[in-house]
Amino acid sequence: MPNETLTITDNRTGKTYTLPIYKDAIRAIDLRQIKTGPEDFGLLSYDPAFLNTASCQSSITYLDGDRGILRYRGYPIEQLAEKCSFLEVAYLLLNGELPCEEQLDMWITDVTRHSMIHENLKKFMEGFHYDGHPMGMLMSTVAALSTFYPEARNIHDPGVRKLQIIRLIGKMPTLTAYSYRHSLGLPYVYPDNDLSYTKNFMNMLWRRTEPKFSANPVLARALEVLFILHADHEQNCSASTMRAVGSSFADPYATTAAAIAALSGPLHGGANEEVLRMLDEIGSKDKVPAYIEQIKAGHGKLMGFGHRVYKNYDPRARIIKRVAEEVFEVTGRNPKLDIALELERIALEDDFFIKRRLYPNVDFYSGIIYQAMGFTPDVFTVLFAIPRAVGWFAQWQEMLQDSEQKIARPRQIYTGEAVRQVVRIEERHPQTSALAAATVA
Ligand SMILES: CC(C)(COP(=O)(O)OP(=O)(O)OC[C@H]1O[C@@H](n2cnc3c(N)ncnc32)[C@H](O)[C@@H]1OP(=O)(O)O)[C@@H](O)C(=O)NCCC(=O)NCCS
């Protein structure tokens, strides 16, 4: 049995400390005892962007970035994508186990019953400019829900929590569809509770004058698979935001709005939109080598490539590539696929990408499918937010029930000025800072 401890010698004092190792980690707080004297605060660990810091213990999602493995609650993502519906996977993530038939029926009924939104929310939508970004509309309307359900702030009541989770999973597609139709100037379509989660979403997006919308089953299933693949991804930027904001006991709508904000950035969920812009910019397959050279020369990044955790092929990208073929049989081939395939081929043979272990991530092919299905690029990230809400809630619940968690509050290493005295304004000399020097367009 190996000795599960770490011995550290502080060369400033010559003292030695033995720290316990727990599940291949040491507790950063154990470093605090390492001091040079009684006045010393104690040693901190410094880890910008949390490259090597576990912020929690979690039993939701397992990810092995080196081997390209992703599992929800122990089930391989490939099996879930093949055998389950999105709501089945949502149940799994939130409850820890796959539902039996009766539990699934009840769960579907619960979520479906909450797909309607308060009529006043439409007025919020109407306040947005027609070309406002759908993520901005989603973020704001989700935050607004907190004013409709004031009881939601009672986050320590498991029943209240469950109701808000069901509500929001039910309402995310409706809010998204409303923002989409608002941008097109189309009337809103109410949810149809006879339809599945994805078919109802498609109905709210695309129904025109027909009395009943009938979604293409291949496309509905493709959307279902994409939703499954996006449902959780352990401690990514938005999940960490959900946990951090939730740790102050903010209500779940405010907390989810913050997670949506985190997802909207181009380095996170916004990447799928950026991939499409990049493919448009490249224009054709023959321009790919020149584009790659430009990236290698330090001009931008290859969007949809690289990942903080995956240093191997993202298993979700592999599944999406297959789904793309199925979708294109219905919609016709998106010509951008050929540019993407060429980019992948060249990048995967190039030393620059090999050395840095940069592979296609989930966003590389998802946008091409969404576009073939009829979505415009600015909607892609909200398509990510709908299923990811499930993962956020699973993470939020786990955080609230974890007795080790407290309000998230990192430390810093202060690098600013030592104490200074304020002098009268007439005695000050102009100073330049990056902000002051910036030119405003
Ligand atoms: C996802 C991402 C933010 C991860 O970033 P990270 O873990 O901080 O990785 P780093 O930025 O430290 O990258 C390591 C090296 O690879 C390079 N690199 C990373 N992603 C790259 C990309 N997409 N294109 C070109 N170079 C890339 C970095 O420039 C860096 O090179 P260097 O060592 O010469 O400085 C980053 O890969 C990225 O910006 N990808 C494009 C956006 C994207 O697709 N996001 C979706 C993620 S699911």
Side-chain angles (χ1 to χ4, degrees):
M1 176 74 180
N3 185 1
E4 295 285 309
T5 58
L6 175 75
T7 300
I8 300 175
T9 303
D10 184 348
N11 293 323
R12 298 171 303 175
T13 60
K15 278 197 198 158
T16 295
Y17 302 81
T18 300
L19 310 185
I21 295 177
Y22 174 67
K23 297 193 185 224
D24 291 334
I26 57 159
R27 284 180 182 269
I29 197 74
D30 285 345
L31 298 173
R32 190 76 74 76
Q33 60 184 302
I34 305 178
K35 297 182 179 193
T36 51
E39 298 296 298
D40 187 354
F41 180 76
L43 209 62
L44 291 176
S45 64
Y46 174 56
D47 189 12
F50 308 117
L51 288 175
N52 197 40
T53 293
S55 62
C56 62
Q57 298 190 47
S58 180
S59 62
I60 302 168
T61 291
Y62 175 77
L63 204 169
D64 182 334
D66 283 330
R67 291 192 291 156
I69 294 175
L70 175 62
R71 297 182 198 133
Y72 296 160
R73 303 283 189 186
Y75 293 104
I77 192 69
E78 294 79 5
Q79 286 184 33
L80 294 170
E82 194 192 324
K83 299 183 175 160
C84 296
S85 68
F86 168 66
L87 285 184
E88 216 174 334
V89 172
Y91 185 99
L92 168 72
L93 283 165
L94 290 160
N95 296 284
E97 297 296 337
L98 281 167
C100 68
E101 227 165 304
E102 199 186 324
Q103 286 169 321
L104 182 60
D105 285 348
M106 210 183 314
W107 171 240
I108 293 173
T109 307
D110 282 347
V111 171
T112 308
R113 256 185 35 211
H114 286 281
S115 54
M116 297 275 283
I117 56 173
H118 195 289
E119 286 293 290
N120 282 4
L121 266 166
K122 285 199 207 160
K123 296 188 185 138
F124 268 93
M125 283 290 170
E126 274 144 31
F128 295 119
H129 206 251
Y130 76 94
D131 61 355
H133 198 284
M135 277 301 264
M137 296 192 213
L138 183 68
M139 196 190 317
S140 319
T141 46
V142 166
L145 284 175
S146 116
T147 64
F148 289 80
Y149 305 110
E151 78 277 14
R153 69 180 68 134
N154 189 6
I155 53 147
H156 297 295
D157 180 326
V160 170
R161 279 205 306 265
K162 181 173 171 184
L163 177 58
Q164 313 318 312
I165 290 173
I166 291 172
R167 268 188 181 141
L168 208 37
I169 295 174
K171 292 182 198 323
M172 288 288 279
T174 316
L175 292 172
T176 299
Y178 278 27
S179 67
Y180 177 72
R181 293 186 74 104
H182 173 69
S183 62
L184 295 176
L186 292 168
Y188 304 127
V189 172
Y190 285 97
D192 181 340
N193 288 356
D194 292 337
L195 300 175
S196 75
Y197 195 76
T198 48
K199 284 187 178 163
N200 176 42
F201 179 45
M202 293 163 92
N203 157 62
M204 291 189 287
L205 287 166
W206 292 318
R207 192 173 134 214
R208 293 292 170 117
T209 51
E210 63 273 41
K212 190 99 184 155
F213 182 81
S214 155
N216 181 297
V218 175
L219 301 188
R221 179 63 202 161
L223 199 54
E224 192 103 18
V225 172
L226 285 160
F227 278 6
I228 292 170
L229 300 181
H230 285 87
D232 193 52
H233 212 229
E234 54 118 298
Q235 307 313 314
N236 54 80
C237 180
S238 56
S240 302
T241 303
M242 187 81 185
R243 280 176 174 265
V245 176
S247 75
S248 76
F249 297 161
D251 79 55
Y253 300 105
T255 308
T256 307
I260 295 173
L263 186 73
S264 69
L267 297 188
H268 191 8
N272 52 16
E273 192 179 335
E274 295 303 319
V275 171
L276 258 276
R277 295 196 204 295
M278 175 185 77
L279 296 177
D280 277 339
E281 190 190 327
I282 296 173
S284 60
K285 213 170 134 181
D286 56 307
K287 308 241 173 63
V288 168
Y291 191 82
I292 296 230
E293 285 312 313
Q294 195 184 309
I295 300 282
K296 284 164 60 182
H299 304 297
K301 283 191 172 168
L302 196 53
M303 298 314 286
F305 255 71
H307 199 273
R308 170 61 58 78
V309 182
Y310 290 119
K311 301 301 172 195
N312 198 326
Y313 212 100
D314 183 335
R316 301 168 300 172
R318 213 184 293 282
I319 299 170
I320 290 182
K321 220 169 146 181
R322 201 197 60 229
V323 171
E325 297 298 346
E326 289 163 19
V327 167
F328 295 153
E329 272 181 32
V330 177
T331 62
R333 197 175 171 84
N334 185 339
K336 294 199 180 80
L337 180 67
D338 295 324
I339 307 176
L341 287 170
E342 184 69 354
L343 264 178
E344 179 185 328
R345 189 187 67 76
I346 297 183
L348 292 186
E349 285 173 359
D350 191 299
D351 253 8
F352 177 95
F353 296 89
I354 295 170
K355 220 169 68 200
R356 290 171 178 78
R357 303 180 71 188
L358 301 169
Y359 292 86
N361 60 47
V362 68
D363 296 310
F364 193 63
Y365 289 106
S366 62
I368 304 175
I369 302 184
Y370 288 143
Q371 193 179 49
M373 283 173 147
F375 293 104
T376 48
D378 56 355
V379 185
F380 295 172
T381 318
V382 284
L383 296 173
F384 190 158
I386 295 172
R388 184 52 64 86
V390 168
W392 292 332
F393 289 133
Q395 302 284 345
W396 175 68
Q397 283 250 99
E398 193 176 63
M399 179 274 301
L400 289 174
Q401 289 165 334
D402 181 345
S403 60
E404 281 200 304
Q405 292 294 336
K406 290 170 181 287
I407 186 166
R409 203 317 184 173
R411 293 277 171 177
Q412 65 167 10
I413 297 173
Y414 179 67
T415 59
E417 303 282 350
V419 65
R420 307 195 267 183
Q421 307 303 323
V422 176
V423 295
R424 285 154 30 115
I425 194 159
E426 4 3 309
E427 291 164 26
R428 294 178 209 158
H429 303 293
Q431 305 288 334
T432 40
S433 67
L435 181 63
T439 38
V440 179

